[in-house]
Amino acid sequence: MNANNAKRKTILPLHIDTTSFTGGQTQNSVWRRLNKRQLPIFVLLTILFFSLFLNVIQHNRRNAPTFQVLNSHDALPPIPLTEYHHAIVVAGHAIYTGPDDRQQLTDDRNWILEPYQQGGQVNTFIQHIQKGIDVLKQDKESVLIFSGGETRPKAGPRSEAFSYWSIAQSLVHQDDSISAEIKASINQRMITEEYAKDSHENLLFSICRFSEMTGNYPNQISVVGFEFKRKRFEDIHRYSIGYPAEQFHYIGIDPTSEDPARAEGELNNSVRPFEKDLYGCHGTLKQKKMNRNPFRRRHPYAASCPILAPLLNYCPSNNALYHGPLPWTF
Ligand SMILES: *[C@@H]1O[C@H](CO)[C@@H](O)[C@H](O)[C@H]1NC(C)=O
């Protein structure tokens, strides 16, 4: 009996333990046990779950921009213009809003013009378009890109590029020197780049647009524009994107009217600012692009030309030249 009692007494503490689930006072002893024995494990588990949770969040964050940038769900038809290697770029300067009628093209009232463009420049714009078509006719491996965005509030959401393209359509249509077959080929090789807001973007965006439609980066680029902008295109815009000088051709056509302030204005308002800001992403050049973007358009080229994304997004504070990988320096 004594032995039995002794056994019961030793069991007793275990029974007390089971009452601790209901007893208010004995809960303290559970916490005390947890504190003493399990708290380190509890703390470690908490840290583990918290760091797993953070990992999941960071992983999602890292993936999110990739999905947004690549638009991978947005299927595209096959590339239409393979086997083309020469990009001809006609840079837009204004927007034509008139009818599809050759007599009307040279009327200033059918264009949205800056004050300094009135009285003569419109003829030069048409010469630029015609020159682009002439080069296109000469080289069967070329694609003609009209470049320029929806830059003028008064023109509504019409792009410079589209208005130039529509003029090109009527110039080709009315050209009696070429067969219907050649006209069809030419029409197929004329495309638009509808986001550029300055000359730097005319060049860079057109290269990506060329790649969107051909699957290639051009091994030859011809830019048609004003002769007084030649130095800027050759020495600044071409240089800033590291495109080889020997593969770059500039075709300049100036207005016939003399304007003594033209060269100085180009130097003051464009050459000097771009020399100090090669990528046009600071100060006055940045502001100019904002003023030319009344419809708040943003280009899609970082998604369609991912290899150019670092260059498209490049904006150094010290005006350093871009040294990242480029598809034309491989
Ligand atoms: C160019 O800048 C110089 C010096 O700042 C100034 O005297 C001249 O009037 C400017 N010319 C034009 C056409 O803006």
Side-chain angles (χ1 to χ4, degrees), residues 35-90:
N35 283 347
K36 276 181 187 161
R37 296 182 191 168
Q38 293 163 339
L39 190 65
I41 295 168
F42 180 75
V43 167
L44 282 174
L45 278 176
T46 309
I47 290 170
L48 178 68
F49 279 113
F50 189 65
S51 75
L52 277 175
F53 175 71
L54 278 183
N55 263 326
V56 167
I57 283 181
Q58 281 196 335
H59 185 71
N60 284 345
R61 269 199 200 139
R62 219 176 294 142
N63 278 355
T66 317
F67 286 121
Q68 284 168 12
V69 166
L70 290 179
N71 290 335
S72 51
H73 55 281
D74 193 6
L76 290 171
I79 291 164
L81 299 170
T82 52
E83 307 299 315
Y84 295 84
H85 301 283
H86 178 192
I88 307 161
V89 179
V90 173

Side-chain angles (χ1 to χ4, degrees), residues 93-94 106-125 152 154 226 255 257-259 262:
H93 297 98
T106 50
D107 188 338
D108 272 9
R109 289 168 300 182
N110 288 327
W111 290 78
I112 309 296
L113 300 170
E114 299 287 356
Y116 66 86
Q117 293 176 321
Q118 286 160 9
Q121 288 211 1
V122 156
N123 278 304
T124 316
F125 302 154
R152 308 290 173 91
K154 278 188 197 157
F226 288 116
S257 61
E258 281 301 316
D259 181 355
R262 192 180 291 141

Side-chain angles (χ1 to χ4, degrees), residues 261 264-265 268-269 272:
E264 208 174 75
N268 281 5
N269 305 320
R272 283 185 187 138

Side-chain angles (χ1 to χ4, degrees), residues 31-240:
W31 279 111
R32 225 175 291 137
R33 273 164 177 268
L34 187 76
N35 283 347
K36 276 181 187 161
R37 296 182 191 168
Q38 293 163 339
L39 190 65
I41 295 168
F42 180 75
V43 167
L44 282 174
L45 278 176
T46 309
I47 290 170
L48 178 68
F49 279 113
F50 189 65
S51 75
L52 277 175
F53 175 71
L54 278 183
N55 263 326
V56 167
I57 283 181
Q58 281 196 335
H59 185 71
N60 284 345
R61 269 199 200 139
R62 219 176 294 142
N63 278 355
T66 317
F67 286 121
Q68 284 168 12
V69 166
L70 290 179
N71 290 335
S72 51
H73 55 281
D74 193 6
L76 290 171
I79 291 164
L81 299 170
T82 52
E83 307 299 315
Y84 295 84
H85 301 283
H86 178 192
I88 307 161
V89 179
V90 173
H93 297 98
I95 298 172
Y96 179 71
T97 58
D100 180 17
D101 171 357
R102 188 153 194 178
Q103 309 307 315
Q104 302 276 328
L105 298 183
T106 50
D107 188 338
D108 272 9
R109 289 168 300 182
N110 288 327
W111 290 78
I112 309 296
L113 300 170
E114 299 287 356
Y116 66 86
Q117 293 176 321
Q118 286 160 9
Q121 288 211 1
V122 156
N123 278 304
T124 316
F125 302 154
I126 294 161
Q127 286 170 7
H128 291 164
I129 297 169
Q130 186 59 57
K131 186 69 192 176
I133 295 168
D134 293 344
V135 180
L136 187 71
K137 281 197 269 187
Q138 287 159 15
D139 183 357
K140 288 191 169 65
E141 282 200 354
S142 64
V143 172
L144 175 53
I145 302 150
F146 297 104
S147 170
E150 299 166 6
T151 53
R152 308 290 173 91
K154 278 188 197 157
R158 287 182 178 92
S159 67
E160 297 176 10
F162 186 82
S163 80
Y164 274 47
W165 176 87
S166 66
I167 290 170
Q169 293 292 304
S170 49
L171 294 180
V172 170
H173 182 72
Q174 289 158 8
D175 188 343
D176 294 329
S177 72
I178 48 178
S179 68
E181 197 186 331
I182 291 171
K183 281 183 188 180
S185 155
I186 284 174
N187 281 334
Q188 196 202 10
R189 292 186 286 134
M190 294 199 299
I191 61 178
T192 58
E193 184 295 301
E194 301 190 82
Y195 291 93
K197 303 177 291 300
D198 65 20
S199 306
H200 171 77
E201 291 185 345
N202 283 139
L203 179 59
L204 182 54
F205 291 2
S206 293
I207 290 172
C208 176
R209 184 69 186 122
F210 181 89
S211 166
E212 287 181 348
M213 292 296 277
T214 67
N216 308 313
Y217 286 98
N219 58 20
Q220 222 189 127
I221 298 178
S222 302
V223 175
V224 184
F226 288 116
E227 177 61 28
F228 69 82
K229 291 190 179 183
R230 173 186 294 277
K231 276 206 83 61
R232 174 146 62 101
F233 267 94
E234 289 180 344
D235 298 346
I236 301 176
H237 301 321
R238 179 206 58 76
Y239 166 79
S240 73

